[in-house]
Amino acid sequence: MTLRVLGVDPGLTRCGIGVVDVEKNRRATMVAFGVVGTSPEESLDQRLLVIATSIDEWLDNYEPHVLAVERVFSQLNVSTVMGVAQASGVVIAAAARRGIPVALHTPSEVKAAVTGSGSSNKDAVTKLVTKILRLDAPPRPADAADALALAITHAWRAGSGAVVSTTGPGSQSLTPAQRAWADAEAKARRAR
């Protein structure tokens, strides 16, 4: 069975989206990629509406088995992390409405899966995504390449075509970083 994964590199200004089909032998094929852009001059509600409408179209057009979204642990710029969180929420809710499992992967997990090093730069990720997907040219902009890398990462971690969700049943196969994050979230819920 081929696993279709829609990867999302969330952002309020640029939201990268990529769809990849991955066979049991890990051979990955690019289906589509793009970037949804919004202007900082627009109101927040309108920006989120653009992202929501676009992700709805992508989910309806490509019918992925699972959605892979980048999880951001921390950033120094609070307004940037808030925008990423808001865009992520819109994307995750769109998948939930359709019953599509959602998996969250950190940037270092994605870099490690695609390049072999969790500290690789964006150029290295783009180069390896281009090679893995057998593309004639690198996917541009980098947000689209990152979305494709997320999709590849999730499919490779899922193994033999199984859908792995880090947000629901079957989450026992979490990586150490994901397990630490889940433990921190559980601790924060208990403290309330």
Side-chain angles (χ1 to χ4, degrees):
M1 174 186 154
T2 300
L3 179 66
R4 176 162 287 182
V5 183
L6 191 150
V8 179
D9 180 26
L12 206 46
T13 302
R14 285 183 320 279
C15 188
I17 304 173
V19 181
V20 174
D21 284 344
V22 181
E23 300 168 31
K24 284 185 180 184
N25 65 3
R26 295 172 45 117
R27 181 178 167 94
T29 303
M30 191 274 300
V31 176
F33 68 86
V35 172
V36 177
T38 68
S39 170
E41 277 72 52
E42 293 179 71
S43 63
L44 176 61
D45 58 332
Q46 290 304 305
R47 294 176 82 182
L48 292 173
L49 179 60
V50 168
I51 293 168
T53 301
S54 296
I55 198 66
D56 282 340
E57 290 172 5
W58 279 79
L59 292 170
D60 292 343
N61 290 337
Y62 295 103
E63 300 179 342
H65 298 114
V66 64
L67 187 79
V69 181
E70 181 177 277
R71 170 184 275 158
V72 177
F73 270 74
S74 67
Q75 286 187 337
L76 298 176
N77 186 335
V78 174
S79 64
T80 298
V81 79
M82 287 301 295
V84 169
Q86 290 163 331
S88 294
V90 166
V91 168
I92 291 167
R97 279 193 299 276
R98 291 165 176 77
I100 299 171
V102 176
L104 303 174
H105 299 284
T106 66
S108 59
E109 289 170 340
V110 173
K111 291 173 186 177
V114 174
T115 70
S117 170
S119 60
S120 296
N121 62 28
K122 281 191 175 284
D123 289 338
V125 171
T126 299
K127 182 177 179 180
L128 268 294
V129 164
T130 304
K131 183 177 180 179
I132 292 164
L133 296 175
R134 302 169 314 285
L135 303 176
D136 294 331
R140 299 281 183 223
D143 307 277
D146 289 347
L148 290 168
L150 276 152
I152 292 165
T153 297
H154 182 74
W156 284 0
R157 287 180 178 265
S160 60
V163 174
V164 175
S165 173
T166 60
T167 59
S171 62
Q172 57 272 33
S173 60
L174 300 176
T175 67
Q178 291 168 330
R179 205 168 7 268
W181 182 273
D183 292 345
E185 285 179 331
K187 184 176 179 182
R189 279 193 298 273
R190 287 191 302 270
R192 288 186 209 162

